[in-house]
Amino acid sequence: ARGVGRPASQGVPAFVADPSWSGGKMNVYPKDAWFSYQASVAPVDARYVEEQGSDGDTVVYLNMTCPLPEFEACSAKASDQLTSGSRFFLYDTVEALSEGEWWWDAEAKTMLVWPTSATFPDGDGDAVVVPTVEQVVWVKADNLVNGAPAADTDYVLNVTLENLRFSDSAYRRYGFQEGFNQWPEYPGFPDDGALRISGGVNTVVRGCTFRDLGGAGLVASNATSNLVVEQNSFLRLGQSAVMLIGNATSQVTGAEVTHNDIRHIGLIHGSAGGVVLSSASYVGVRHNFISNIARWGIHVRHFEAEGKGKSYSNVIEFNQVHNTGEQSNALGGISVIATYGTTDVVDTVIRYNCIKNVVGYGKLDERPYYSYGIFLDNEASGYTIHHNVIRDASFAAIKVHYGHDNTIYNNILMDSSYGPDEKSIGQFDTVGSPTHNTSGNEFYRNVLAWTDPVAYKMLQGETEKPYYDLIDNNLYYNAEVDIATWNNSHLTPEGTWTNWTASGYDSASIVGDPLFTNWTGGSACLASDSPAYHLDGFTEIPDVICACADPMGSKQLANA
């Protein structure tokens, strides 16, 4: 929020100095910080309680009221609980204003501003907009039964939206995750789309700009099919950019999300991503630039329970995914998740993506924290992951969490595990258990390289038999220490490299410099004489991916 006008030297406005604290709202990241939510606050009694702190400031005590107690949304479970170190801020009350901010008094229809300069307003750049609608355009089918149009004649056919600008929409969701968009009565994920497509067939959204929205950009559901979302810009959104959602009867099938520029997403609700499938099948997510995201760059959910949505046969390729996990954690730059007890193999491919700077943010003192380049969570199974470049992820480049039948090959994993917590020190991580059917996984023809010798775990957890059928034909390198002679009992699940190879793993693998052309400059491209090409079957990763650059430039500024 911004406002300009009177210089600060003129003092605190009278409407801010009045300490009445009649109420307001609170945006909070609870203990686990997987999401954020908004709640109302009020003084602890009919007025307020205050006392003078040691620095002379007024201390005001407020009670928070959970907005959705019927969903146990603010329960004592760790994902919802407020504890010491939980992050929050107060807003939507005049008493909380700081210099340069404004407050809209909805009841009086008046905007109050604490300005910072002598002129206000000063052109369009100083405009303050009060949004009044959530959905600007709704492509809406008739006669829904179980979330889908009852007959073919009820679908909306052949709509094209092109070169439109969507901005300044409102939102109503509180931010909770409960329900994950499987049924409309559940509160999460937040899905207040400025553009909503319900039961559309052959819908095209091309060349549009979505910017400065309270909610999401585009939300598709209700058995929408053959959807194309291409060459659009999404900038500064409160929720996710593109959401394809629904259950077994209402999910999106057959969509292309391609060549979009997606930046600064999840500014209001932290459980947000660049592209979110919860759930959807036969979707291609290709050639997108995704950066500065509160949680995931790309997220796919697969549900096993009857009636819920299963996400099958998706392709995620040629995307640049940078700077994710800026406000939350338990994520991957590309993050997929199933449910415990999963027997399905989803037959999904993740290939030719550049993923870098996956941060993760927990409580106030936990950053970087609990994030991965690619995260296969909660028994996610049946993924083929190849020709990706992953660098600078806080906990590990890739994590397999109880999954089965995942094949991981021909990837370059660089400089992960920069988090300060010892749990984060690993380049590749597996949590395995026979109880969760961790089996049939393969890891081969990959390059693992890192510079920090303090990150002493190379292969972590249960990255071994019986959870993997194959671990071999890889290239390993640490720039500061010789892996082959490193007296490091934490290097692999079997200890040292000698112990590891003696146990039958990586017998055909190489320890040596992969010869990056510009490692310090951020490139993962390999020289033509790299020993990686001596790995049986290793093939080149295209420059557009291994360079991990921003190919889109300032497209959104040009579209402004």
Side-chain angles (χ1 to χ4, degrees):
R2 63 187 186 275
V4 296
R6 180 177 53 188
S9 60
Q10 296 186 19
V12 177
F15 57 77
V16 178
D18 178 11
S20 61
W21 279 94
S22 55
K25 295 178 182 176
M26 176 180 181
N27 188 305
V28 59
Y29 281 83
K31 178 182 176 182
D32 283 348
W34 296 348
F35 61 95
S36 63
Y37 65 85
Q38 296 177 326
S40 60
V41 294
V44 295
D45 60 20
R47 297 176 63 253
Y48 60 92
V49 178
E50 67 174 67
E51 63 182 37
Q52 296 299 313
S54 58
D55 55 2
D57 289 339
T58 299
V59 178
V60 179
Y61 295 89
L62 303 171
N63 277 335
M64 185 196 81
T65 301
C66 182
L68 295 173
E70 66 273 24
F71 287 96
E72 298 184 350
C74 307
S75 68
K77 58 186 179 182
S79 60
D80 294 348
Q81 191 179 63
L82 299 186
T83 62
S84 176
S86 294
R87 292 178 279 131
F88 71 93
F89 63 85
L90 298 174
Y91 70 106
D92 198 20
T93 178
V94 66
E95 295 87 359
L97 278 186
S98 299
E99 184 181 347
E101 296 179 341
W102 56 268
W103 176 63
W104 169 249
D105 186 340
E107 183 176 345
K109 291 183 168 37
T110 301
M111 185 180 72
L112 301 176
V113 182
W114 185 350
T116 57
S117 68
T119 58
F120 177 76
D122 183 16
D124 292 341
D126 292 332
V128 174
V129 177
V130 179
T132 58
V133 296
E134 298 163 17
Q135 290 157 354
V136 181
V137 174
W138 192 352
V139 178
K140 186 176 184 292
D142 293 325
N143 194 23
L144 298 180
V145 177
N146 294 325
D152 289 348
T153 54
D154 295 322
Y155 285 87
V156 181
L157 306 181
N158 306 321
V159 174
T160 296
L161 303 171
E162 193 166 13
N163 299 328
L164 302 176
R165 172 170 168 173
F166 296 81
S167 64
D168 305 311
S169 64
Y171 66 97
R172 62 184 176 86
R173 293 291 195 183
Y174 292 103
F176 297 105
Q177 296 189 140
E178 275 78 3
F180 303 109
N181 309 109
Q182 293 301 285
W183 285 277
E185 62 267 25
Y186 284 102
F189 294 119
D191 61 350
D192 302 308
L195 169 59
R196 196 170 197 98
I197 302 170
S198 303
V201 178
N202 299 329
T203 307
V204 177
V205 181
R206 178 187 299 120
C208 295
T209 297
F210 299 78
R211 57 175 295 162
D212 300 310
L213 303 176
L218 182 153
V219 178
S221 61
N222 301 110
T224 290
S225 63
N226 298 338
L227 169 68
V228 176
V229 181
E230 65 180 5
Q231 300 175 16
N232 303 285
S233 294
F234 299 84
L235 175 65
R236 295 192 300 270
L237 308 189
Q239 300 171 17
S240 298
V242 177
M243 299 185 72
L244 311 182
I245 62 176
N247 56 38
T249 59
S250 64
Q251 72 166 225
V252 175
T253 57
E256 288 291 321
V257 181
T258 179
H259 291 92
N260 299 286
D261 192 4
I262 300 171
R263 309 183 193 225
H264 300 288
I265 303 301
L267 300 183
I268 294 175
H269 291 323
S271 193
V275 180
V276 175
L277 281 58
S278 183
S279 58
S281 296
Y282 306 101
V283 176
V285 182
R286 320 176 200 269
H287 298 280
N288 300 287
F289 183 83
I290 302 172
S291 182
N292 301 104
I293 313 296
R295 197 169 184 190
W296 322 278
I298 300 169
H299 181 51
V300 181
R301 298 192 79 91
H302 175 86
F303 300 90
E304 190 85 357
E306 184 177 355
K308 292 189 174 182
K310 302 176 186 292
S311 294
Y312 289 124
S313 301
N314 298 304
V315 178
I316 301 170
E317 63 181 358
F318 289 100
N319 300 284
Q320 297 276 345
V321 180
H322 302 185
N323 308 316
T324 54
E326 291 195 327
Q327 293 296 331
S328 60
N329 66 86
L331 61 95
I334 297 177
S335 191
V336 300
I337 190 169
T339 51
Y340 290 131
T342 292
T343 58
D344 288 342
V345 174
V346 299
D347 191 26
T348 286
V349 178
I350 303 173
R351 64 190 178 198
Y352 295 104
N353 301 283
C354 165
I355 306 161
K356 71 176 183 180
N357 299 338
V358 188
V359 183
Y361 197 173
K363 292 189 290 188
L364 284 171
D365 58 347
E366 295 176 329
R367 191 174 194 231
Y369 183 71
Y370 193 14
S371 65
Y372 308 90
I374 296 177
F375 191 7
L376 309 185
D377 198 6
N378 287 8
E379 299 188 33
S381 302
Y383 287 87
T384 301
I385 300 171
H386 67 89
H387 289 84
N388 300 282
V389 169
I390 305 171
R391 59 171 303 144
D392 301 313
S394 70
F395 267 30
I398 298 177
K399 180 169 184 174
V400 177
H401 183 220
Y402 293 138
H404 61 85
D405 298 294
N406 296 299
T407 302
I408 302 164
Y409 72 93
N410 215 123
N411 301 283
I412 297 178
L413 315 180
M414 298 173 62
D415 279 326
S416 292
S417 296
Y418 59 79
D421 193 320
E422 184 173 320
K423 291 183 296 184
S424 73
I425 301 174
Q427 301 302 307
F428 182 86
D429 189 14
T430 305
V431 175
S433 168
T435 304
H436 293 281
N437 189 25
T438 313
S439 61
N441 298 301
E442 296 185 344
F443 182 81
Y444 61 93
R445 289 205 306 262
N446 299 287
V447 176
L448 274 74
W450 75 107
T451 56
D452 186 0
V454 176
Y456 53 78
K457 294 180 181 178
M458 182 173 70
L459 303 175
Q460 181 174 322
E462 287 76 44
T463 307
E464 59 184 338
K465 298 177 180 177
Y467 313 113
Y468 284 79
D469 291 345
L470 175 65
I471 304 174
D472 205 357
N473 208 31
N474 299 296
L475 171 61
Y476 300 100
Y477 180 65
N478 183 287
E480 300 297 326
V481 62
D482 181 5
I483 290 172
T485 60
W486 195 358
N487 185 20
N488 177 1
S489 62
H490 300 284
L491 186 67
T492 75
E494 298 295 329
T496 65
W497 178 254
T498 299
N499 291 345
W500 178 247
T501 53
S503 300
Y505 301 102
D506 278 314
S507 59
S509 294
I510 299 171
V511 172
D513 189 341
L515 301 179
F516 295 115
T517 57
N518 186 12
W519 189 348
T520 58
S523 172
C525 298
L526 298 169
S528 58
D529 56 345
S530 169
Y533 295 114
H534 296 293
L535 302 174
D536 184 22
F538 185 92
T539 57
E540 184 179 11
I541 297 176
D543 285 353
V544 67
I545 297 302
C546 65
C548 272
D550 175 356
M552 304 297 287
S554 299
K555 180 177 178 181
Q556 276 157 322
L557 294 178
N559 283 349

